[in-house]
Amino acid sequence: MKNSIGRFVPQQFKPFVSSSDYNNHKRKLIDEKKRTDGFTMLQSVSDMFDKLNITDGMTLSFHHHLRNGDFVLNAVAEEIKRRDIKNLKLAPSSIFPSNAILVELMENGNVTDIYTDYVNGPVAEAISKGKLKGMCVMHTHGGRPMAIESGELHIDVAILATPTVDAKGNGTGFIGKSACGSMGYAESDLRYADKVVLVTDNMVDSIESPQLDGSYVDYVLKVDAIGDPNGIVSGTTRITKDPVGLKIARDTTALLDELGMIKEGLSMQTGAGGTSLAVAYYVKQRMLEKGIRGSFASGGITGYFTDMLEENLFDELFDVQCFDLKAVQSIGKNPRHHAMSGSRYANPFDDNVVDKLDFVILGATEIDLDFNVNVTTDSHGKIMGGSGGHSDTAHGAKVTVITTNLIKSRLPIIKEKVTTVTTPGEDVDVLVTERGIAINPRRTDLLEKVKNSKLPVFTMQQLLEKAHSITGQPDTLKLSDQPVGVVVYRDGTVIDTLYKTN
């Protein structure tokens, strides 16, 4: 378990839960929660609020598998606004630009606290400006189920968009007009919320191998549409064509090969960005050249990895969320493409997948001389993302590689100290830029393997000086002293504070 980095922490946040407390609470809730008397059909969102007596101060949770195409969170927000319910806590696993209605609810005091793993768009901007009266608590994708299952994050009502629901209340994301694929981030909410509502636009008689167990479901609401699946693709899911990104990807692959990571049975994860997928492409070429096959790839899955599965370059895929519609189609038909829960993916107290990764390729908004990485705020301190699985995979993988341009928008990515710590430097092993590679001094084993390498290996300080020789020394950012949120490590430890910006 990681320790706090030692920055200011608001007093209401305490350190992480012990494993014994976590397991005792988890067993108790699993025993108490299951039901055998079926579910109740709801007539409308308004009927849901009446039947569940949703009132001031409650905590409502949602998942983000429809990403920027989700309609359910916004429909609930409209009802909150109409009834003028106050002081609610919302716990969506992520928030996207389409959820802009939440800004008005924050300003009116309807929503006072937000628990999430990632937020961008108007809601992120409003939180940064101090419009949330309480706090924004930013978990990791593994830390969120840990918080829910340990009782740290208690959910009164989980409202889960579900593409298909059957007569027993079982749910799946594999089929239906709004199919989103894996629903991994909904499973802890399903099992541990006091009450669970599945919102669907497709009812069927039965579902073979459901993802969501109907014995945990209290209510089902049938609506015309839960979302637009085309919104699942938010951001690039194609290999970059940028020469700089391709150079970074080639150097990353060459480094991984020299480190002995491209081997029979390898396991890996990348993000869905263009450079990350380019790394996957070059790794694939090395695998073909060597005639080797990987054991698994994991995380949010794209069509690129489903193609590799079809080509038998991996034995299995473990999928917590589908990043594009090709992945959605694959998970419903390929028995080697497995859906997994957020807890199985990255909960530090579970038998998780990230701890079995050989290497992971991640990005960075900023990285500092101590290898701390920021993907939560921009260089001005404004919230624009969040850890998601960044910290989880960085901790779990044997080798964690950050790939990024040395300079973006005329600003150096390397800082003496990052604006916000998302992933502690002790979990980060390598930085690869187009102008050189830096290896964390903690990893003497990796440094030994590349001591005779022809790759451009520098210290982080040397790369910082390279960047400054091009951009000059940036001005020091001055943040306000008003906290608007906290960054929570995967074990529940608060490792940094988010401050109000102008």
Side-chain angles (χ1 to χ4, degrees):
M1 296 300 173
K2 297 294 186 291
N3 297 316
S4 171
I5 289 176
R7 300 194 178 191
F8 168 76
V9 175
Q11 289 301 308
Q12 64 264 43
F13 295 96
K14 60 185 181 179
F16 58 82
V17 178
S18 72
S19 58
S20 60
D21 287 345
Y22 166 80
N23 287 319
N24 289 338
H25 186 268
K26 182 174 180 178
R27 280 194 295 271
K28 180 173 182 288
L29 278 184
I30 286 178
D31 291 343
E32 292 177 352
K33 184 71 177 62
K34 271 199 169 183
R35 52 183 297 123
T36 56
D37 54 351
F39 64 87
T40 300
M41 283 296 299
L42 298 168
Q43 301 305 307
S44 64
V45 174
S46 179
D47 185 35
M48 175 179 70
F49 273 65
D50 290 339
K51 291 257 191 340
L52 278 85
N53 191 28
I54 296 175
T55 54
D56 294 1
M58 293 179 74
T59 300
L60 312 181
S61 78
F62 309 82
H63 70 75
H64 72 278
H65 288 284
L66 283 159
R67 297 167 70 81
N68 212 36
D70 178 68
F71 295 166
V72 172
L73 175 54
N74 289 355
V76 172
E78 291 283 3
E79 188 66 16
I80 292 168
K81 175 183 173 182
R82 189 180 74 81
R83 295 179 181 234
D84 198 26
I85 299 172
K86 299 291 188 181
N87 301 319
L88 290 172
K89 298 177 177 65
L90 296 190
S93 49
S94 291
I95 299 172
F96 289 90
S98 60
N99 304 128
I101 186 176
L102 297 182
V103 175
E104 185 178 353
L105 299 190
M106 291 158 55
E107 293 172 337
N108 294 339
N110 306 114
V111 173
T112 55
D113 296 270
I114 289 176
Y115 297 80
T116 191
D117 307 349
Y118 176 94
V119 53
N120 70 7
V123 178
E125 184 176 351
I127 295 169
S128 295
K129 290 181 177 179
K131 293 187 177 182
L132 190 66
K133 292 179 173 60
M135 298 292 283
C136 176
V137 180
M138 301 200 69
H139 290 113
T140 73
H141 280 334
R144 182 177 188 270
M146 188 280 294
I148 293 170
E149 295 173 16
S150 68
E152 285 285 293
L153 175 55
H154 173 261
I155 297 169
D156 294 298
V157 183
I159 304 168
L160 307 177
T162 309
T164 298
V165 176
D166 71 12
K168 294 182 179 180
N170 299 310
T172 185
F174 291 2
I175 57 175
K177 67 179 183 179
S178 302
C180 61
S182 177
M183 295 183 65
Y185 297 128
E187 293 194 38
S188 293
D189 306 61
L190 174 83
R191 287 176 169 80
Y192 294 95
D194 288 351
K195 297 294 180 182
V196 175
V197 181
L198 301 190
V199 183
T200 189
D201 52 23
N202 187 44
M203 295 287 295
V204 297
D205 290 337
S206 63
I207 296 170
E208 185 178 349
S209 302
Q211 294 176 273
L212 305 183
D213 184 344
S215 62
Y216 293 100
V217 175
D218 301 290
Y219 298 89
V220 173
L221 171 60
K222 174 76 161 49
V223 297
D224 292 336
I226 62 170
D228 176 6
N230 291 310
I232 291 171
V233 184
S234 47
T236 179
T237 56
R238 296 181 182 276
I239 295 170
T240 184
K241 295 180 180 179
D242 172 38
V244 173
L246 291 173
K247 182 183 188 308
I248 292 169
R250 286 193 297 269
D251 286 352
T252 300
T253 306
L255 176 68
L256 289 169
D257 207 4
E258 290 193 21
L259 296 177
M261 305 308 295
I262 303 179
K263 60 185 179 179
E264 182 68 29
L266 70 84
S267 56
M268 66 179 286
Q269 180 170 329
T270 74
T275 301
S276 292
L277 290 178
V279 174
Y281 169 80
Y282 289 120
V283 168
K284 173 183 174 179
Q285 302 313 308
R286 294 288 175 101
M287 292 171 71
L288 290 169
E289 290 167 9
K290 294 183 174 192
I292 60 175
R293 178 171 170 164
S295 56
F296 73 86
S298 66
I301 296 298
T302 64
Y304 190 79
F305 279 99
T306 64
D307 287 344
M308 291 181 74
L309 182 69
E310 293 289 343
E311 295 165 22
N312 288 319
L313 288 171
F314 285 107
D315 293 332
E316 299 173 290
L317 297 181
F318 293 100
D319 191 341
V320 70
Q321 67 172 322
C322 294
F323 275 137
D324 60 28
L325 296 181
K326 193 170 186 179
V328 173
Q329 293 163 3
S330 168
I331 200 169
K333 66 180 183 181
N334 193 322
R336 295 188 292 130
H337 185 170
H338 311 290
M340 63 177 168
S341 70
S343 194
R344 175 74 200 288
Y345 172 48
N347 183 339
F349 291 143
D350 205 339
D351 177 24
N352 65 67
V353 168
V354 298
D355 283 350
K356 300 175 177 65
L357 286 168
D358 286 319
F359 62 89
V360 63
I361 310 300
L362 300 169
T365 306
E366 300 175 329
I367 186 169
D368 67 23
L369 295 176
D370 295 320
F371 284 77
N372 298 308
V373 173
N374 175 18
V375 292
T376 302
T377 63
D378 64 18
S379 295
H380 302 288
K382 294 180 181 178
I383 301 169
M384 42 67 71
S387 177
H390 199 286
S391 295
D392 299 309
T393 53
H395 178 88
K398 293 182 179 69
V399 174
T400 297
V401 181
I402 305 297
T403 59
T404 180
N405 294 31
L406 186 65
I407 298 165
K408 289 183 182 177
S409 302
R410 300 186 299 279
L411 290 173
I413 296 302
I414 302 174
K415 311 288 183 181
E416 291 189 359
K417 290 292 181 185
V418 290
T419 307
T420 305
V421 176
T422 307
T423 297
E426 59 200 87
D427 286 344
V428 177
D429 303 309
V430 181
L431 168 68
V432 181
T433 77
E434 78 281 13
R435 295 176 183 269
I437 297 168
I439 296 177
N440 194 324
R442 293 171 178 265
R443 294 302 305 265
T444 56
D445 57 328
L446 303 185
L447 288 166
E448 179 66 23
K449 288 181 178 180
V450 300
K451 66 181 181 182
N452 297 317
S453 173
K454 293 181 181 179
L455 288 168
V457 178
F458 300 92
T459 66
M460 191 69 90
Q461 180 67 46
Q462 288 171 325
L463 287 182
L464 176 64
E465 290 168 2
K466 278 177 176 281
H468 285 176
S469 71
I470 300 168
T471 66
Q473 183 100 19
D475 294 335
T476 302
L477 176 68
K478 293 182 179 179
L479 295 170
S480 77
D481 59 0
Q482 179 182 332
V484 297
V486 289
V487 178
V488 184
Y489 189 67
R490 62 198 302 258
D491 64 4
T493 308
V494 176
I495 60 172
D496 214 340
T497 300
L498 303 167
Y499 293 97
K500 181 180 177 181
T501 61
N502 295 325

